[in-house]
Structures are given as structure tokens and as C-alpha cells.
Amino acid sequence: MQRQFDRINDTLEMRREAMQDNIVTNMLAGYGYVNMLLERDIDPLHPKQLDHFLELNNIVLCGTDPQARFDYSGYIEATKRRFYAQDHFSIANIRAWAEKHRKDTPWKRAAGVYILQISRPQLFEEGNHRSGALLMSCLLVRSGKPPFVLTVDNAKAYFDPSSLAKETHKTFIGMYYKLPKIKKKFSRFLERESKKQMLIKS
């Protein structure tokens, strides 16, 4: 995926940030953290476990190195304040939506949380797509479904609607007309890309 990303970028409706080594390294660390959450049966959307969702974003942006965490401590603290108390949209809004839609299919629920996170205003200042992808996988596996895995073949189908959602505001028209259409299409994409071989059962 990383080796072919420049070619993929040329096909996208909106070009993405280059997939540099540190991005890949941090994403792998993020997936390691997701594995830990799954092993310990931790729900990152539970009101008493939200700090784990926040940590996913810290990992994709800053990694796990203690010195990097120290260097970015001010940014991390500002991100925490935004996460819990941002005007108009915070983690409380995502939790409310997820609770309301708890009986949806796993793909609809994962898609809905992701699209809400990345549309404007976004939950985090940076790293929403990456931490959102990690959260999607966590939610899917917790529901007994395979995680979402980004590949060369599905990259355009993932990035293009993500970019469209990113440019959509949570206004009345956005929330009740535009975003539901994006969510519906994206949930179908997640279900279509669900690969049983990606789920290891003990």
C-alpha cells in the first residue's frame, strides 16, 4: 500500500497526505492498541473508557515514544479538551448517535461513527481519518465481524467518500441529507470489504 500510494493518490478526487514511514509506524502501533482493547474487552465508546479512544488519536499522531509524548504534551492536552468539550461537536455527540443506533448492523454503526467523526467540525484537530479507521475496526470486531483493512484495491473506494465527508458540515442539510447518504454508501463498502480471513478466532 505504501509503495503504491503515489499512484493511488493520482486517482483520488482529493489528494491525500503522503504515506510516510512515521504514519505507517504509528498506524501499526494503533492496531496493536486496538488488539489490546479487544483482548481486554474494552469498549472505547463506553462512558468510562473514552480515554482509550483519545489514546488512539494520540498514537496515530505522536506514536508511543515517551520523548515524543513529552514534546507534544501541550498539543495532547489541547486535543483532550477539544475531545470532551468542543462547541457544537464532541465525543458526547458520537456517543449519543452510537447509543441511538446500537441495533444497527455493525457496518452501519461503524460507518456512522466514522463519518460523524471526520465531517465538520471534526472530533480532533488532526488524525481523524486514521483514528477513525482504527475505531471502525475495533467496533466491527467487537460485533464479531472482520476488521476493515485498507488495501491497494479498495483505497479509492475508501478515500473518496472519506474526503467528501470531511468537506461536509454538520448543518441541518448536512446532518439530514448529505451525511446519511454518505454513511449508507460507506456502510455498504465496509460490508462488501468484510473478509473472514482477517478475523482470527481462538
Side-chain angles (χ1 to χ4, degrees):
M1 180 70 192
Q2 184 184 29
R3 288 195 298 269
Q4 299 192 45
F5 193 72
D6 286 343
R7 178 181 63 80
I8 293 169
N9 225 349
D10 289 338
T11 72
L12 302 180
E13 294 179 10
M14 184 179 296
R15 290 185 64 84
R16 310 288 300 197
E17 179 184 2
M19 191 172 285
Q20 299 173 348
D21 289 344
N22 68 305
I23 291 177
V24 175
T25 298
N26 291 350
M27 280 298 292
L28 291 174
Y31 277 110
Y33 196 83
V34 168
N35 283 338
M36 180 277 291
L37 297 179
L38 294 169
E39 289 170 358
R40 299 184 183 181
D41 192 26
I42 294 174
D43 178 2
L45 290 182
H46 187 280
K48 294 184 178 180
Q49 298 172 337
L50 296 175
D51 57 313
H52 293 288
F53 185 10
L54 185 60
E55 176 61 10
L56 286 176
N57 196 71
N58 291 337
I59 290 173
V60 300
L61 291 178
C62 309
T64 58
D65 179 69
Q67 182 61 49
R69 290 300 182 94
F70 178 79
D71 293 341
Y72 286 93
S73 58
Y75 179 84
I76 290 173
E77 185 59 33
T79 297
K80 182 177 180 179
R81 291 194 297 270
R82 177 186 176 114
F83 179 75
Y84 286 109
Q86 177 181 216
D87 290 341
H88 307 301
F89 185 71
S90 69
I91 186 57
N93 300 93
I94 288 183
R95 283 204 64 257
W97 187 94
E99 181 64 20
K100 182 179 179 180
H101 293 267
R102 64 185 183 279
K103 294 184 179 180
D104 285 2
T105 67
W107 299 286
K108 287 182 179 179
R109 196 163 183 264
V113 169
Y114 174 73
I115 296 301
L116 275 179
Q117 179 182 344
I118 65 175
S119 53
R120 297 187 180 184
Q122 295 184 314
L123 183 61
F124 300 111
E125 185 70 27
E126 298 288 345
N128 287 282
H129 292 81
R130 283 169 275 168
S131 59
L134 293 173
L135 181 64
M136 279 198 302
S137 286
C138 190
L139 296 178
L140 288 170
V141 177
R142 283 182 58 82
S143 298
K145 303 301 180 183
F148 168 67
V149 178
L150 182 65
T151 67
V152 172
D153 293 332
N154 68 21
K156 181 174 174 60
Y158 166 73
F159 284 124
D160 281 347
S162 295
S163 296
L164 179 60
K166 180 182 178 182
E167 296 304 312
T168 302
H169 293 262
K170 294 182 179 76
T171 58
F172 179 85
I173 293 177
M175 289 295 290
Y176 292 97
Y177 292 96
K178 294 182 179 180
L179 290 177
K181 291 180 180 179
I182 300 172
K183 292 174 191 174
K184 185 176 182 179
K185 182 177 180 180
F186 199 78
S187 69
R188 290 175 177 172
F189 162 72
L190 289 179
E191 185 171 7
R192 188 171 63 248
E193 290 298 318
S194 182
K195 303 292 191 298
K196 292 182 178 181
Q197 63 267 33
M198 298 297 180
L199 187 63
I200 299 175
K201 296 183 178 181
S202 56

